[in-house]
Amino acid sequence: MYLFRRKGGTIWWYDFTVDGERVRKSSKTSERRLAEDIAHQHETRLRRAAVHGQKAVLTFPEIVAAYFDDGRDTRFTAPLLKYFKTWKIADITGLEIRKAAKKLYPKAANATLNRQVVTPMRAIINHAADAGHCDPVKVTRFKEERTPRPAGSKEWLDAFCKRAKKMDMPETAAAVRFMFETAARVSEACRLTWDDVNLQLGTAYLAKTKTTPRKVFLTRAMVVDMANIRSLHPTLVFGAANRSTIKKRVDKVLKDSGLARLTSHEFGRHGFATEMIVRNGVDAATTGDHGGWKSRRLLMETYVEGDGNREVIDRVFGKK
C-alpha cells in the first residue's frame, strides 16, 4: 500500500491490491497520518472479507442503510443504530439482541421490548439475509403477560354519539364513529380532509398511515353524520388538528355521559377488531384487510378481546 497526492492537490490518495484486484481511492483528507489510518482500515477490511467472506466484515449501520433504501419501516431504529453502531453482523446473535433490549429499555414491559427491539432487529438482519449478505437471525421473544383491555361496542358508540349530539358536539360524535367503524387511528382521523371523502360513494381514503394507504367504507350512519358536519370545517373533516383536541372533546362527553372511559385506541382499532371477529364472526383476513393490519397474528394476539359472558356459551351450546 502506498499514499500519493495528485499533481497540485492536497488530498491524499491510497493504492493497494487485494487478491489481484487493485484499489485506488481518495482518503478525503490532507492529513497524512489520518489518510494512512483510513487506507489501513480499508485494506484490512477487504483482506478479511477475502479470507472469511463478506459476512465477516459487514456492519450493522451498513445493513440498516440498505433497509432504509428499500423503503422499510424506520421506527425504533435510532436507538438500535446507536447501540450497535460498531458491531459486525456476524457478532449480533439472538442473545445479544435480548441483552440490548434490556439495556435500551430497562423499565419497559416485555411487549415494548418485543415491539421496539426484537421485531425491528429481526426484520433488519433478515432483510440483509434475504439479499445473501449474512445469515438469518433467530431471537426468542420476551414472554408477554397479556392483560385484557376494554373494547368499544355498538352499544357504547350509540350512547356516546347520542350524548355528544345533545351537547352540540356532532363532529366529536362523527370522529368517534369513524374510528370505531373503520379502525382508523386518531392521527388518521385528524388528518382526514374533505378531499379524501366521497359521500356519494360512501368511501374515504386514508393517505398517510403507519403501514400503507387504504380506502375505507362508510356506513349509512357515518355518511349522514359527515353530511351534517360538512359546513362546520372547510378542510379537516372533524376540525381537529391533533390527537389532543380529539381527546379533550371525547373526555368532555364521557364526563357528562357517565359512560365507561375508553381511549381512542380502545374504542377505535380495538373496538373494530373485537366487533368484527368476536361479536360478528368475521374472519381475521377480512378484518385485517378492512382495518389495515398487515399481520394477522398481531391482529389476533393484540387487538381482539374475547367474550367472557355466559351468553356466548348459551348461544353456541344451548337449545336453539
Side-chain angles (χ1 to χ4, degrees), residues 159-271:
F160 181 93
C161 291
K162 184 177 181 181
R163 175 60 63 177
K165 290 173 182 178
K166 281 188 175 181
M167 296 173 66
D168 196 24
M169 299 173 67
E171 68 270 62
T172 303
V176 170
R177 180 182 297 279
F178 183 76
M179 286 185 273
F180 176 73
E181 294 184 353
T182 68
R185 299 172 178 86
V186 64
S187 57
E188 295 164 357
C190 289
R191 285 193 291 264
L192 192 70
T193 69
W194 289 112
D195 289 338
D196 301 322
V197 177
N198 188 321
L199 293 179
Q200 287 186 326
L201 296 179
T203 61
Y205 186 70
L206 304 179
K208 188 176 180 181
T209 71
K210 289 175 70 174
T211 52
T212 56
R214 61 189 176 99
K215 179 174 71 173
V216 295
F217 298 99
L218 310 177
T219 63
R220 182 173 298 180
M222 186 76 258
V223 170
V224 171
D225 281 356
M226 282 187 167
N228 288 336
I229 64 171
R230 182 65 182 86
S231 61
L232 297 181
H233 306 284
T235 304
L236 296 177
V237 174
F238 305 115
N242 53 60
R243 64 177 63 235
S244 177
T245 301
I246 293 284
K247 183 179 184 304
K248 289 177 182 177
R249 292 177 181 175
V250 170
D251 286 347
K252 184 176 181 180
V253 176
L254 290 176
K255 183 178 180 180
D256 187 79
S257 66
L259 285 168
R261 285 192 164 275
L262 300 179
T263 66
S264 60
H265 201 77
E266 289 167 348
F267 65 68
R269 288 177 73 75
H270 212 59

Side-chain angles (χ1 to χ4, degrees), residues 18 40-64 84-92 128 132-135:
V18 174
H40 176 72
Q41 288 187 31
H42 193 180
E43 183 179 15
T44 300
R45 177 190 174 95
L46 293 186
R47 292 193 183 282
R48 187 179 181 198
V51 175
H52 303 286
Q54 184 65 23
K55 299 173 184 178
V57 298
L58 193 65
T59 64
F60 184 68
E62 287 173 323
I63 69 167
V64 170
F84 289 107
K85 63 181 178 181
T86 60
W87 285 60
K88 302 286 193 300
I89 295 305
D91 298 327
I92 302 179
H133 298 318
C134 64
D135 296 324

Side-chain angles (χ1 to χ4, degrees), residues 98-117 142:
R98 286 173 62 90
K99 287 182 180 177
K102 288 292 189 181
K103 289 182 179 179
L104 286 170
Y105 305 101
K107 297 182 180 180
N110 286 352
T112 301
L113 302 181
N114 287 331
R115 183 176 63 255
Q116 298 185 192
V117 179
F142 293 95

Side-chain angles (χ1 to χ4, degrees), residues 119-130:
T119 297
M121 284 295 293
R122 189 162 53 188
I124 292 168
I125 295 176
N126 290 344
H127 175 266
D130 287 343

